[in-house]
Amino acid sequence: MVIETKYHGTVDVGEAEKLTFGHGVPGFLDEKSFVLLPLEEDSSFFILQSVQSPSTAFVVTSPFFFFKDYEFEIDEASKETLSIDSEKDVEVYVILTVTDPFNASTANLQGPVIINRKQKTGKQLILSGTDYTTKHRLWEEA
């Protein structure tokens, strides 16, 4: 399928690459279909791009590249919603707030995006009762 994107222009992506967010993403509840595109070749940053709306795209990364001790529990209801059978099928991303300069950008550790690659399902969790916030600096020296 051919889609318009915010950062990559027009791209052709396979139907198998489409991820379904059954309840949308907080603040974008009507956006239920996304694809994950690399920001650049061999980059640790990706774009979670809405299939429906070219302007709806989030810069994401694996939190484990930047926050080695990051951990949380996926609640049972979310596991069921995402049809998670095995930890091996799960990928975790965090949405970035990109700033200028880039090294001052922050990650939302309070709202990780969970993707079940096997089932092609996704959900943004909102963690409560945690010290994680929506604005953790990726690089301390920034």
Side-chain angles (χ1 to χ4, degrees):
M1 84 186 131
V2 176
I3 63 170
E4 292 294 322
T5 70
K6 184 173 183 174
Y7 298 104
H8 295 86
T10 303
V11 296
D12 189 8
V13 294
E15 189 69 30
E17 294 178 57
K18 190 164 68 170
L19 304 168
T20 301
F21 284 66
H23 300 288
V25 175
F28 301 88
L29 299 180
D30 293 334
E31 303 291 339
K32 300 193 187 299
S33 294
F34 288 85
V35 292
L36 196 60
L37 305 169
L39 181 61
E40 297 174 338
E41 193 173 328
D42 297 325
S43 173
S44 59
F45 300 99
F46 299 86
I47 304 299
L48 185 62
Q49 174 66 57
S50 167
V51 171
Q52 300 101 308
S53 304
S55 63
T56 303
F58 307 98
V59 179
V60 299
T61 191
S62 169
F64 308 111
F65 291 142
F66 298 94
F67 307 97
K68 303 294 184 211
D69 296 332
Y70 183 60
E71 62 180 43
F72 59 91
E73 291 290 324
I74 300 174
D75 61 276
E76 290 303 318
S78 294
K79 287 179 187 178
E80 190 173 309
T81 298
L82 295 170
S83 303
I84 296 172
D85 294 325
S86 170
E87 218 175 88
K88 295 180 288 187
D89 299 329
V90 176
E91 293 179 2
V92 177
Y93 296 93
V94 290
I95 297 175
L96 304 183
T97 300
V98 178
T99 60
D100 186 19
F102 184 72
N103 67 345
S105 296
T106 60
N108 178 354
L109 297 185
Q110 190 176 17
V113 175
I114 310 304
I115 295 176
N116 180 339
R117 275 296 191 181
K118 184 176 179 184
Q119 298 297 326
K120 307 292 185 201
T121 56
K123 178 180 180 178
Q124 183 178 17
L125 296 181
I126 305 301
L127 304 177
S128 59
T130 177
D131 290 335
Y132 297 127
T133 70
T134 59
K135 301 257 185 224
H136 289 267
R137 286 187 180 263
L138 295 178
W139 296 278
E140 286 301 321
E141 66 273 5

